[in-house]
Amino acid sequence: MADYVKLFSNYVPFKTTIEQFKMLNAGLINKSIVISNTIGHLLAFIPLGLIMAIGWKQKWQCHLAIVGFVALLIEMLQLFLRIGSFDVDAILLDVLGYFIGFCFVYTVNKYLIRKDVHDV
C-alpha cells in the first residue's frame, strides 16, 4: 500500500495541472484529459456552491471547511480504495468550483437587492 500511495499521490499545488498543460502543448496528451481534469473538477463543485449559498446561511468560512473536507475525503477514498490518485490540485479546483457557484449566487442576490431598492 505504501508504494501505491507514494506512486499515486501529489502534494505539490498545481504540479499536475502545469504538467498536463505542458504535455498538451507538446502534443503528448489529449486535450480531453486536460479539460476533464481541470474543468471537470470546477464544474463538479459549482452546484454545491450554489446550493450552499442559497440554502444554508452560514458564514463562507464554514462552507469552505465543509467543501474542503468533502474534497479531501473524496481524494483520500480514491487513493485508499485504489480507484484513483490523491492530488492536491483536485482539492484546490473543487474548492474553486464551490467559490464560483457561491459567488454567482452572492452576485445575483446583490444585483437583485440593488435593483429592488432602485425601483422603489
Side-chain angles (χ1 to χ4, degrees):
M1 181 67 171
D3 290 336
Y4 186 86
V5 170
K6 187 175 181 180
L7 187 61
F8 290 98
S9 297
N10 169 43
Y11 306 104
V12 179
F14 299 110
K15 177 183 175 187
T16 304
T17 303
I18 291 169
E19 287 176 357
Q20 286 181 350
F21 278 105
K22 285 180 181 177
M23 291 187 334
L24 178 65
N25 287 337
L28 301 173
I29 193 171
N30 190 318
K31 182 172 48 174
S32 65
I33 293 171
V34 177
I35 290 171
S36 68
N37 284 340
T38 53
I39 305 300
H41 280 285
L42 290 172
L43 292 177
F45 274 70
I46 287 174
L48 186 59
L50 295 169
I51 291 166
M52 290 179 87
I54 292 169
W56 196 34
K57 302 299 181 198
Q58 297 291 326
K59 293 188 178 197
W60 68 268
Q61 294 94 335
C62 184
H63 290 192
L64 180 62
I66 292 169
V67 170
F69 176 76
V70 169
L72 177 65
L73 183 63
I74 291 169
E75 289 300 304
M76 289 175 64
L77 283 171
Q78 287 182 136
L79 183 64
F80 293 122
L81 296 175
R82 296 183 182 197
I83 56 173
S85 63
F86 178 93
D87 196 340
V88 72
D89 290 9
I91 296 169
L92 295 172
L93 291 167
D94 292 344
V95 171
L96 181 59
Y98 153 78
F99 268 120
I100 291 170
F102 183 86
C103 289
F104 176 79
V105 171
Y106 179 81
T107 303
V108 167
N109 281 339
K110 191 172 183 177
Y111 171 75
L112 291 176
I113 290 168
R114 280 190 180 165
K115 187 175 181 177
D116 290 343
V117 170
H118 294 302
D119 287 344
V120 175

